[in-house]
Amino acid sequence: MPNPTEAAATVKRTDSVSIEAVHDQLETMLAGAAELPLVLRFAEIFLRKAPPELFRERPPDVLARLTLGTFRFLDRCRPDRVDVEVFNPEDATEGWSAPVTVIRTNVSERPFIIDTIREYLYSQDLPIEHLVYPMLHVGRDATGRVQELRPAAEGPTRESLVHCEIAVVEDAAERQRLQGEIAASLQDGVRATDDFGAMIDAVNDTVAYLAELAPRLPERAGEIREIQEFLRWIRDRGMVFLGYRAYQIIDHPQLGRAIVVEPGSGLGILRNEATSSYAEPVPLDTLDPGLRSLIESGPLLIMSKTNAVATVHRRARMDYVGVKRIDENGRVAGEFRFLGLFTSAAYS
């Protein structure tokens, strides 16, 4: 019986032979085609990330067509957008068949891609059967077509391509729904990670605001100091920030005291301010009394769970951290609001 080292070497040799067989199939399929060198380079990178069971389940000709279809998907993608396809192989122009539904995604490299896809699929009771996740350096021409491929570590322009297989989804409308919702989740991930630095700046600005507020509220100096320490802690290790938005309480000439989004403040998943309930001013006297009381009085720091489930990283109700803004007259004048997920460090 081989020892573990020998067994690992056997698997590696088996996979290597399979990759060579796939190369042979691709050379036959694409003889003379201009794309052949790039497809062979892609196959080398892509298949080395494939799980061994994929080689055992699929013959070389099927793996060759799967690889070619994935390369052509990558060639259609663009690094400045989220690309998603959900299809059954026999329904598409792939030339191969298997009792699975395929999910392909591509987005510029960033955290949480696999977590986001996996958590979404599990929330739909669709466990992943196979997953291939090569991070690539992709050189593209002026039109966006692939011109160069290398492992991500060898180049500056990184894209995260995902080939994922789940149990077959027969209904076309259901596949369309999955495609739209996966794309939306990944787009949320793009917004959250692109705006991460700006959200950290918003935390720091809130800490600085509290430092300016403290001399005006000497009776609350201890509370303010504790909030500052808490904000620094979630900034450094306590929270995965997903969204930020600021709100103002204004004296509206027709509506009286009203709450409204501060224009241009939205970041991450809260970047689209038009979706807010307070995109237009909402009079305070129309709010539920409990909500109005929470807004206008009580502690400076608000922490709670939202009813909304995070679409990025892990599927859980999001954590909400709000810090009230106080005007020169001592009235609540708005709020700095952060949405995210507390980390394992916060819970432990």
Side-chain angles (χ1 to χ4, degrees):
M1 183 175 182
N3 63 39
T5 302
E6 291 171 341
T10 300
V11 169
K12 186 175 181 181
R13 283 195 298 271
T14 301
D15 289 354
S16 179
V17 170
S18 296
I19 291 173
E20 290 172 6
V22 174
H23 272 216
D24 291 342
Q25 290 286 331
L26 288 168
E27 287 175 339
T28 300
M29 290 163 50
L30 298 174
E35 66 181 338
L36 178 58
L38 275 173
V39 174
L40 293 177
R41 180 61 175 145
F42 175 77
E44 183 72 18
I45 301 169
F46 177 73
L47 292 174
R48 288 199 180 280
K49 293 295 184 180
E53 56 268 23
L54 200 59
F55 289 94
R56 292 193 291 268
E57 293 177 10
R58 310 272 166 83
D61 64 313
V62 169
L63 287 174
R65 294 186 182 281
L66 183 157
T67 301
L68 178 60
T70 308
F71 169 79
R72 288 176 173 168
F73 166 73
L74 179 68
D75 197 36
R76 293 192 295 272
C77 295
R78 299 295 177 265
D80 58 348
R81 70 188 188 206
V82 172
D83 287 285
V84 181
E85 291 182 351
V86 179
F87 63 93
N88 292 344
E90 61 271 18
D91 296 339
T93 56
E94 297 283 317
W96 62 281
S97 180
V100 297
T101 289
V102 175
I103 299 166
R104 289 177 181 150
T105 72
N106 191 66
V107 65
S108 57
E109 172 55 16
R110 62 192 63 246
F112 309 138
I113 293 170
I114 294 299
D115 289 346
T116 297
I117 294 171
R118 181 181 290 117
E119 289 278 314
Y120 171 77
L121 291 174
Y122 285 172
S123 76
Q124 304 295 306
D125 295 322
L126 294 169
I128 294 170
E129 296 188 1
H130 295 305
L131 181 72
V132 189
Y133 178 43
M135 288 183 289
L136 303 160
H137 161 74
V138 184
R140 296 180 182 270
D141 64 18
T143 67
R145 300 290 299 275
V146 175
Q147 296 296 303
E148 180 190 10
L149 287 166
R150 284 184 275 165
E154 298 179 13
T157 310
R158 299 178 179 180
E159 297 182 28
S160 291
L161 173 71
V162 176
H163 170 92
C164 175
E165 297 181 9
I166 59 175
V168 65
V169 177
E170 298 287 1
D171 184 66
E174 180 67 4
R175 293 195 301 272
Q176 190 67 31
R177 181 185 71 83
L178 293 176
Q179 180 171 313
E181 292 183 0
I182 291 169
S185 294
L186 289 173
Q187 188 63 64
D188 281 347
V190 168
R191 294 188 184 103
T193 51
D194 281 354
D195 288 350
F196 176 77
M199 286 188 278
I200 294 300
D201 289 343
V203 177
N204 292 332
D205 290 345
T206 305
V207 171
Y209 160 77
L210 289 168
E212 296 172 0
L213 179 65
R216 292 196 279 118
L217 299 175
E219 72 282 3
R220 304 183 78 164
E223 177 188 0
I224 290 172
R225 230 177 0 257
E226 188 173 358
I227 295 170
Q228 288 177 300
E229 291 172 5
F230 172 72
L231 291 175
R232 292 188 189 103
W233 184 77
I234 64 170
R235 175 197 66 192
D236 294 338
R237 65 188 183 117
M239 194 174 200
V240 175
F241 292 96
L242 299 179
Y244 167 79
R245 199 179 275 160
Y247 298 84
Q248 300 171 321
I249 296 177
I250 60 173
D251 290 311
H252 193 278
Q254 284 82 41
L255 304 175
R257 293 270 285 169
I259 185 168
V260 66
V261 171
E262 180 181 302
S265 65
L267 297 170
I269 64 172
L270 297 180
R271 191 189 294 175
N272 185 358
E273 295 161 11
T275 63
S276 172
S277 301
Y278 306 108
E280 299 295 331
V282 175
L284 292 184
D285 60 13
T286 65
L287 299 177
D288 175 84
L291 176 59
R292 179 172 182 176
S293 176
L294 181 65
I295 290 171
E296 293 188 295
S297 60
L300 295 175
L301 176 69
I302 305 168
M303 283 196 301
S304 70
K305 287 282 188 186
T306 70
N307 290 324
V309 173
T311 58
V312 180
H313 186 30
R314 69 175 188 267
R315 288 260 154 176
R317 289 171 60 197
M318 285 186 287
D319 298 294
Y320 153 42
V321 175
V323 176
K324 293 176 182 174
R325 308 161 75 171
I326 308 297
D327 67 16
E328 296 295 332
N329 299 316
R331 297 189 306 176
V332 176
E335 180 188 323
F336 307 104
R337 180 175 298 181
F338 301 89
L339 291 184
L341 295 168
F342 286 131
T343 64
S344 56
Y347 285 108
S348 58

